[in-house]
Amino acid sequence: MKAILGKKIGMTQIFSEAGEIIPVTVIEAGPAVVTQIKTVENDGYYGVQIGFEDQKACRMNKPAKAHFDKAGVGYKKHLAEFRPEEGDTYEVGQVITVADFEAGIKLDVTGTSKGKGTQGNIKRNHHRRGPMTHGSKHKRLPGGLAAATYPSRVFLGNKAPGRTGRDTVTMQNLELVKVIADRNLMLVKGAVPGNKGGLLRIRTAVKVGK
């Protein structure tokens, strides 16, 4: 499994060789550097930690500086881990770029969805509205939330108005349409979660049965 970090630039469209329009999301991915190798002996599992986007030293605390100094790499703004497949080898200081990904493969892209703030029950939970006739007092209000005398309380998990969005969302099996290595860009078919400039975790799609 290959993985890299990037940020969402925006959406556009390109033409295929057959003349078809393909909507794509432009992602500036990497270069990412391997900052730590997790081992079964020391950490209980095998994993690879990568860093993305340079950070000024004055914005790093002492533990973070020590972590990067031990690895012998520059200070990074974002860190993430992924579990490599058997046989994949990585070394501390190794640089991962978009050139390691070839067009045509499938990707799983994880990001933070757009925040919508506090929303009502219709937008948040897709409830039906009440009658819109004259005199109706329940046009867009929530219905009954609990029984009357018994149990006389609202159960946990009841769908009601509240905060919407800003959830971790993964879009699976997105096609990597094009790689522009000299500009560190990936063109991924379709939409991905998050705002422009949002951090994305990109990895090759997990095969069924694994």
Side-chain angles (χ1 to χ4, degrees):
M1 177 188 295
K2 299 177 183 177
I4 195 170
L5 295 176
K7 59 182 179 180
K8 181 178 179 179
I9 302 300
M11 289 198 70
T12 184
Q13 60 186 22
I14 61 176
F15 291 91
S16 67
E17 295 181 357
E20 299 176 341
I21 295 177
I22 303 176
V24 295
T25 300
V26 182
I27 302 173
E28 182 182 349
V33 61
V34 177
T35 56
Q36 186 180 8
I37 303 294
K38 300 295 183 73
T39 62
V40 178
E41 293 77 13
N42 294 332
D43 306 285
Y45 66 96
Y46 178 49
V48 177
Q49 183 188 84
I50 58 177
F52 169 65
E53 202 169 356
D54 294 336
Q55 180 67 287
K56 295 180 180 178
C58 62
R59 295 186 177 180
M60 304 289 293
N61 56 30
K62 288 185 178 179
K65 285 183 178 179
H67 179 70
F68 290 107
D69 291 340
K70 180 180 179 181
V73 299
Y75 302 139
K76 300 297 178 181
K77 187 175 183 180
H78 306 287
L79 288 175
E81 284 187 17
F82 71 96
R83 300 286 185 91
E85 294 180 344
E86 294 185 5
D88 292 345
T89 57
Y90 291 88
E91 297 180 355
V92 174
Q94 178 180 341
V95 178
I96 304 173
T97 66
V98 295
D100 297 322
F101 299 79
E102 58 274 4
I105 64 173
K106 300 292 184 178
L107 301 174
D108 292 342
V109 181
T110 302
T112 303
S113 62
K114 293 181 180 180
K116 306 294 183 181
T118 301
Q119 300 297 329
N121 57 298
I122 290 180
K123 181 171 182 177
R124 189 186 191 210
N125 301 305
H126 310 292
H127 288 173
R128 293 176 59 186
R129 60 173 174 78
M132 301 299 287
T133 53
H134 177 70
S136 172
K137 298 181 180 179
H138 293 278
K139 291 182 172 64
R140 294 180 65 88
L141 295 177
L145 298 179
T149 304
Y150 179 82
S152 68
R153 64 187 177 90
V154 178
F155 290 105
L156 290 175
N158 204 332
K159 293 182 179 180
R163 181 189 66 82
T164 308
R166 288 200 62 80
D167 298 317
T168 300
V169 179
T170 299
M171 301 294 291
Q172 295 180 312
N173 295 319
L174 299 179
E175 180 184 353
L176 178 57
V177 179
K178 188 176 181 180
V179 175
I180 306 176
D182 58 338
R183 299 176 61 186
N184 296 320
L185 295 180
M186 286 181 167
L187 303 186
V188 178
K189 185 176 181 179
V192 301
N195 299 292
K196 293 180 180 179
L199 181 67
L200 297 173
R201 297 180 56 170
I202 306 157
R203 65 181 186 274
T204 53
V206 178
K207 296 181 181 178
V208 177
K210 290 191 174 183

